[in-house]
């Protein structure tokens, strides 16, 4: 698998670029999640029926790092990552490949093709009804669906969202990246993290049968900034703060192009975000929610 150019992609409402800086942010985010949690997934994949995990699908695979690591962890499995653009892979694996696909349309895979289907950190896709139907269709009976999403940053000291991050939330919740009407976001929220388990439990087929059973979730609160007294936590917090600043920088072009902010407003917001991540008294935190379930029937 060779490096690919930026023009090999599909159009979407995704508000971030596919440049090296964004790829670096996504890879750093992946490393933080894996090291903080201790694994690439929390679902009990080791309990899968014989002959074990054979096929894994990663929806919205980003840089492809999760797919590559899963291909290494499950060397007998065939791992496929799909997204609107191909990742830049310098060290491919024989059992891992990538495809350009719009995940909001019907998947180009046969029924009952996969043992694991993951979609992580795709908050721009709030309405997942059709995607859940497709995930259920391509999963084998008993196969796992894995979701992971972040929630909005809050202050542990005040138990509220700090002003600058709240303003960033307002901008993103009403932007094309979010893809929903402004009136639906009066509370300036873009996250569905705390609804993931509910979304899985409520998913039904046309006859009213539940698509997924054994639904579980686990929540983590990551520090943002180097405020924890624990050295390891402070290390993670500093890295997460850096990714949050990079995230806002990544949205700059979308926010300016759509007239959501002026150059001066964006510059002021970026400075304020940096100041809040450096304010140890705020004790900033960002929740992440893992949720998973299993296909209940054919």
């Amino acid at each position: 698998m060779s490096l690919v150019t930026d023009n090999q992609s599909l159009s979407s409402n995704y508000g971030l670029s596919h440049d090296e800086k964004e790829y670096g942010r996504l890879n750093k985010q992946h490393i933080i999640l894996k090291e903080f949690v201790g694994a690439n997934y929390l679902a009990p994949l080791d309990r899968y029926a014989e002959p074990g995990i054979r096929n894994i699908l990663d929806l919205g695979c980003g840089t492809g790092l999760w797919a590559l690591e899963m291909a290494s962890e499950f060397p007998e499995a065939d791992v496929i990552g799909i997204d609107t653009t191909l990742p830049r892979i310098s060290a491919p694996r024989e059992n891992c490949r990538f495809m350009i696909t719009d995940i909001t349309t019907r998947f180009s895979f046969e029924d009952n093709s996969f043992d694991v289907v993951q979609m992580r950190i795709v908050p721009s896709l709030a309405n997942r009804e059709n995607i859940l139907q497709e995930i259920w269709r391509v999963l084998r009976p008993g196969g796992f669906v894995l979701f992971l999403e972040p929630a909005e940053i809050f202050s542990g000291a005040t138990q509220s969202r700090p002003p600058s991050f709240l303003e960033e939330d307002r901008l993103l919740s009403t932007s094309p990246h979010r893809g929903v009407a402004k009136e639906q976001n009066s509370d300036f929220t873009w996250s569905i993290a705390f609804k993931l388990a509910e979304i899985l439990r409520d998913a039904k087929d046309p006859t009213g049968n539940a698509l997924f059973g054994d639904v579980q979730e686990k929540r983590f609160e990551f520090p943002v900034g180097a405020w924890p007294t624990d050295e390891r936590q402070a290390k993670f917090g500093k890295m997460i703060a850096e990714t949050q600043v990079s995230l806002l920088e990544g949205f700059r072009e979308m926010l300016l192009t759509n007239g959501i902010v002026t150059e001066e407003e964006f510059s002021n917001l970026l400075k304020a975000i940096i100041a809040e991540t450096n304010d140890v008294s705020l004790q900033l935190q960002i929740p992440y929610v893992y949720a998973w379930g299993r296909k209940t029937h054919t």
Side-chain angles (χ1 to χ4, degrees), residues 235-251:
K235 172 190 170 185
F236 280 123
K238 183 179 178 181
M239 292 174 66
I240 294 169
E242 291 169 354
T243 64
Q244 291 302 310
V245 172
S246 295
L247 178 64
L248 179 56
E249 291 174 332
F251 279 120

Side-chain angles (χ1 to χ4, degrees), residues 34-251:
K34 183 181 179 183
E35 290 192 9
F36 193 98
V37 174
N40 273 321
Y41 56 89
L42 295 179
L45 302 188
D46 57 328
R47 300 181 194 172
Y48 195 73
E50 292 296 335
I53 304 296
R54 295 160 289 169
N55 301 90
I56 300 171
L57 177 62
D58 187 14
L59 304 175
C61 63
T63 66
L65 191 53
W66 185 88
L68 286 168
E69 291 188 359
M70 292 296 282
S72 176
E73 185 170 346
F74 295 92
E76 302 303 316
D78 179 28
V79 182
I80 298 176
I82 62 176
D83 210 325
T84 56
T85 189
L86 292 177
R88 299 168 173 84
I89 303 299
S90 58
R93 292 189 59 87
E94 296 248 345
N95 63 326
C96 184
R97 56 195 173 98
F98 299 94
M99 301 167 53
I100 294 177
T101 302
D102 181 354
I103 65 173
T104 65
T105 62
R106 182 178 172 87
F107 304 159
S108 58
F109 305 110
E110 299 292 328
D111 297 357
N112 306 314
S113 298
F114 294 93
D115 306 299
V116 178
V117 177
Q118 181 208 229
M119 187 164 69
R120 61 163 51 190
I121 313 182
V122 194
S124 56
L125 297 177
N127 186 350
R128 303 190 174 200
E129 183 176 347
N130 292 337
I131 294 176
L132 285 165
Q133 296 286 340
E134 279 297 282
I135 290 173
W136 178 87
R137 181 181 67 80
V138 301
L139 274 176
R140 296 187 176 106
F144 287 89
V145 54
L146 314 179
F147 281 168
L148 166 63
E149 292 291 343
E152 290 88 355
I153 288 174
F154 71 97
S155 166
T158 65
Q159 291 300 304
S160 63
R161 284 187 274 175
S164 298
F165 275 101
L166 182 60
E167 173 62 9
E168 181 183 11
D169 293 337
R170 183 188 72 81
L171 298 176
L172 295 182
S173 68
T174 58
S175 73
H177 178 77
R178 181 60 175 151
V180 295
K182 292 183 179 181
E183 59 267 20
Q184 292 177 273
N185 285 282
S186 58
D187 59 349
F188 307 141
T189 183
W190 46 261
S191 174
I192 59 170
F194 298 130
K195 299 178 181 178
L196 287 179
E198 178 185 348
I199 288 171
L200 287 174
R201 292 190 182 101
D202 289 348
K204 303 286 194 302
D205 67 16
T207 62
N209 294 313
L211 297 182
F212 306 104
D214 298 328
V215 174
Q216 299 181 55
E217 71 168 12
K218 190 163 185 179
R219 302 182 181 186
F220 295 87
E221 291 180 350
F222 291 41
V224 181
W227 59 265
T229 55
D230 178 80
E231 184 176 342
R232 180 173 179 271
Q233 293 278 321
K235 172 190 170 185
F236 280 123
K238 183 179 178 181
M239 292 174 66
I240 294 169
E242 291 169 354
T243 64
Q244 291 302 310
V245 172
S246 295
L247 178 64
L248 179 56
E249 291 174 332
F251 279 120

